[in-house]
């Protein structure tokens, strides 16, 4: 069936390295995507979003890349810091669903000093 | 996160008890959502509301009900709690217009014994 999913459930990186978190989606009608960060004991926090008419969007230390050809979304975090340790979710809005978001399971990012 | 508040933050209850989870927001958003999060799974939509007189079922509404008392308040009820409703519950809000980001509260951790 259609789903929003993540390639890897866990990712461990050294402090200062770059992190790449991946997300696959299967609904070609999806027109909006969001990355959320969830720290332990907290609610999901918005990081960055991208619309389907874009391939790339940059924020502060984060970049989201969208490849519509292969239905793939990635979040790149530059110079990863211990405070970046969290679960990262991608979410998609499917074009005909009145703004409802569909969430992936999440990737646990652990940053080692 | 302070713009979206949830009470209680933690709750332990027994099977068969009625319980209400409250959500309040000061963002002035008209759209509000209730999600459930289980370990290893993405967020699943329980109910959502586009305004005070609008209530819609999500993917997993069975066993739950909601009330939109005002634009700023959206409560979730478990009429007769069961152990498999043990989960983390999140409220989220979204405004009108092109900004489709949902903003989440801090969550309520519910344990049903």
């Amino acid at each position: 069936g259609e789903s929003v999913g993540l390639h890897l459930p866990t990712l461990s990186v050294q402090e200062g390295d770059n992190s790449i978190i991946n997300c696959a989606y299967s609904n070609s009608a999806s027109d909006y995507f969001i990355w959320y960060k969830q720290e332990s004991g907290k609610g999901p926090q918005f990081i960055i979003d991208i619309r389907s008419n874009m391939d790339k969007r940059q924020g502060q230390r984060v970049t989201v890349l969208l490849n519509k050809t292969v239905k793939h979304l990635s979040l790149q975090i530059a110079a990863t810091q211990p405070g970046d340790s969290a679960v990262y979710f991608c979410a998609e809005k499917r074009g005909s669903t009145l703004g409802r978001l569909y969430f992936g399971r999440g990737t646990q990012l652990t940053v080692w000093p | 996160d302070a713009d979206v508040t949830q009470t209680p933050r933690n709750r332990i209850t027994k099977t068969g008890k009625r319980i209400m989870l409250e959500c309040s927001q000061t963002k002035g958003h008209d759209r509000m959502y209730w999600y459930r999060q289980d370990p290893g799974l993405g967020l699943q939509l329980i109910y959502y509301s586009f305004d005070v007189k609008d209530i819609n079922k999500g993917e997993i509404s069975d066993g739950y009900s909601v009330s939109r008392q005002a634009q700023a308040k959206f409560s979730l009820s478990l009429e007769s709690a069961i152990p498999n409703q043990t989960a983390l519950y999140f409220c989220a809000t979204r405004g009108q217009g092109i900004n489709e980001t949902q903003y989440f509260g801090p969550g309520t951790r519910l344990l049903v014994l």
Side-chain angles (χ1 to χ4, degrees), chain B residues 5-8 20-24 34 69 73-76 91 108:
Chain B
T5 57
Q6 293 183 234
T7 56
M20 179 181 289
L21 309 182
E22 310 256 9
C23 176
S24 294
W34 274 105
Q69 303 95 320
K73 297 184 181 297
F74 193 35
S75 59
L76 175 72
C91 174
T108 294

Side-chain angles (χ1 to χ4, degrees), chain B residues 34-76:
Chain B
W34 274 105
Y35 290 92
R36 168 179 172 155
Q37 185 178 44
D38 295 278
L41 297 179
L43 294 161
Q44 296 176 278
L45 183 63
I46 307 173
Y47 270 95
Y48 60 105
S49 168
F50 283 176
D51 65 40
V52 173
K53 297 181 179 179
D54 177 79
I55 300 291
N56 304 281
K57 291 184 177 180
E59 300 151 340
I60 55 164
S61 59
D62 288 349
Y64 302 95
S65 63
V66 291
S67 175
R68 185 80 185 267
Q69 303 95 320
Q71 187 202 37
K73 297 184 181 297
F74 193 35
S75 59
L76 175 72

Side-chain angles (χ1 to χ4, degrees), chain A residues 31-45:
Chain A
D31 58 2
Y32 178 71
F33 304 88
I34 306 176
W35 280 101
Y36 284 95
K37 173 185 180 183
Q38 186 177 20
E39 296 175 278
S40 181
K42 296 184 179 180
Q45 178 185 8

Side-chain angles (χ1 to χ4, degrees), chain A residues 32 36 38 51 89 93 105, chain B residues 37 40 98 100-102:
Chain A
Y32 178 71
Y36 284 95
Q38 186 177 20
R51 294 194 177 277
F89 295 92
K93 182 182 78 69
R105 291 191 303 269
Chain B
Q37 185 178 44
I98 63 172
E100 305 192 67
T101 304
Q102 292 183 19

Side-chain angles (χ1 to χ4, degrees), chain A residues 3-6 21-25 30-37 44-52 64 66 73-75 88-94 99-106, chain B residues 35 42-43 100-102 104:
Chain A
S3 65
V4 177
L6 290 158
I21 301 171
N22 297 302
C23 183
Y25 66 98
S30 294
D31 58 2
Y32 178 71
F33 304 88
I34 306 176
W35 280 101
Y36 284 95
K37 173 185 180 183
Q45 178 185 8
F46 170 84
I47 303 174
I48 193 168
D49 59 359
I50 189 168
R51 294 194 177 277
S52 58
V64 55
L66 176 62
L73 189 70
S74 69
L75 176 69
Y88 290 81
F89 295 92
C90 66
E92 64 175 314
K93 182 182 78 69
R94 298 170 183 172
R100 286 177 55 175
L101 294 178
Y102 295 82
F103 292 82
R105 291 191 303 269
Chain B
Y35 290 92
L43 294 161
E100 305 192 67
T101 304
Q102 292 183 19
F104 285 82

